[in-house]
């Protein structure tokens, strides 16, 4: 487990975060450029190493997050901590109005669409939702395993 000091050093490598001291020697780290009301990325980081990162409703962290969209980072290693913080910043800076749609085809000529909607990556056959993924990488892996290729 990383110490409080080590976690602070890692968190402070993200220049877009602002440190704010709160009660009981705890600190929060805010992302002031958030597109949403929520600005706290790292919440209640405590000298005992406990703390939380806000990831909202990202499917990638669905099993780790509580009902407020917070993930406890007490036992995170450096790589996991860096990844979740970057995901949180991306989550709060993502413009949900920009659609991403890709056409994927199989050898048999079947076409699926990969659509980025809100924070999910959805695969559609015609207008029917087939699968939902928390990351683009997971959706692409699924499509490739099923024999689909990106249509050019």
């Amino acid at each position: 487990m990383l110490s409080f000091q080590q976690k602070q050093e890692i968190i402070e490598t993200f220049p877009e975060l602002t440190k704010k001291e709160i009660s009981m020697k705890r600190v929060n780290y805010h992302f002031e450029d958030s597109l949403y009301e929520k600005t706290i990325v790292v919440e209640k980081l405590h000298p005992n190493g406990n703390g939380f990162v806000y990831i909202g409703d990202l499917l990638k962290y669905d099993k780790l997050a509580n009902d407020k969209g917070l993930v406890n980072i007490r036992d995170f290693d450096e790589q996991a901590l860096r990844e979740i913080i970057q995901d949180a910043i991306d989550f709060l800076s993502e413009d949900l109005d920009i659609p991403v749609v890709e056409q994927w085809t199989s050898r048999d000529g079947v076409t699926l669409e990969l659509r980025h909607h809100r924070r999910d990556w959805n695969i559609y056959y015609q207008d029917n939702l087939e699968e939902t993924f928390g990351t683009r990488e997971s959706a692409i892996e699924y499509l490739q395993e099923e024999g689909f290729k990106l249509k050019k």
Side-chain angles (χ1 to χ4, degrees):
M1 178 176 86
L2 298 169
S3 70
F4 174 70
Q5 181 71 25
Q6 290 169 316
K7 286 179 182 169
Q8 281 192 301
E9 288 171 5
I10 293 165
I11 295 164
E12 290 172 9
T13 65
F14 291 88
E16 54 268 74
L17 297 181
T18 304
K19 180 180 177 179
K20 296 189 180 180
E21 294 182 12
I22 58 175
S23 62
M24 300 187 299
K25 299 182 183 178
R26 297 176 301 171
V27 293
N28 287 344
Y29 288 87
H30 291 254
F31 176 54
E32 303 297 343
D33 292 332
S34 174
L35 296 177
Y36 309 96
E37 284 186 40
K38 181 71 172 174
T39 64
I40 300 174
V41 170
V42 180
E43 189 169 313
K44 299 176 185 152
L45 183 62
H46 191 277
N48 70 9
N50 204 22
F52 300 90
V53 171
Y54 177 75
I55 51 74
D57 58 1
L58 279 176
L59 285 177
K60 181 177 179 180
Y61 298 100
D62 190 43
K63 294 188 182 344
L64 297 175
N66 66 18
D67 59 348
K68 294 180 182 177
L70 297 169
V71 173
N72 190 310
I73 58 168
R74 181 178 183 85
D75 297 323
F76 275 40
D77 63 17
E78 180 177 352
Q79 180 180 346
L81 182 58
R82 286 185 186 283
E83 183 176 338
I84 197 169
I85 291 170
Q86 187 61 60
D87 288 343
I89 292 168
D90 292 346
F91 179 82
L92 293 171
S93 62
E94 183 177 49
D95 186 351
L96 300 178
D97 295 330
I98 301 172
V100 174
V101 177
E102 297 176 348
Q103 303 281 325
W104 289 73
T105 56
S106 71
R107 291 181 208 104
D108 302 331
V110 174
T111 299
L112 297 178
E113 279 189 356
L114 175 59
R115 299 180 196 166
H116 187 235
H117 177 70
R118 294 204 159 280
R119 294 175 174 92
D120 300 329
W121 291 89
N122 300 315
I123 297 175
Y124 287 86
Y125 174 71
Q126 297 174 354
D127 287 328
N128 299 316
L129 177 63
E130 296 292 323
E131 295 285 339
T132 298
F133 297 89
T135 65
R136 183 176 191 278
E137 293 78 20
S138 298
I140 288 173
E141 182 180 327
Y142 170 82
L143 286 164
Q144 290 173 338
E145 286 175 0
E146 295 297 319
F148 286 83
K149 293 186 179 192
L150 183 61
K151 190 175 183 178
K152 297 181 181 191

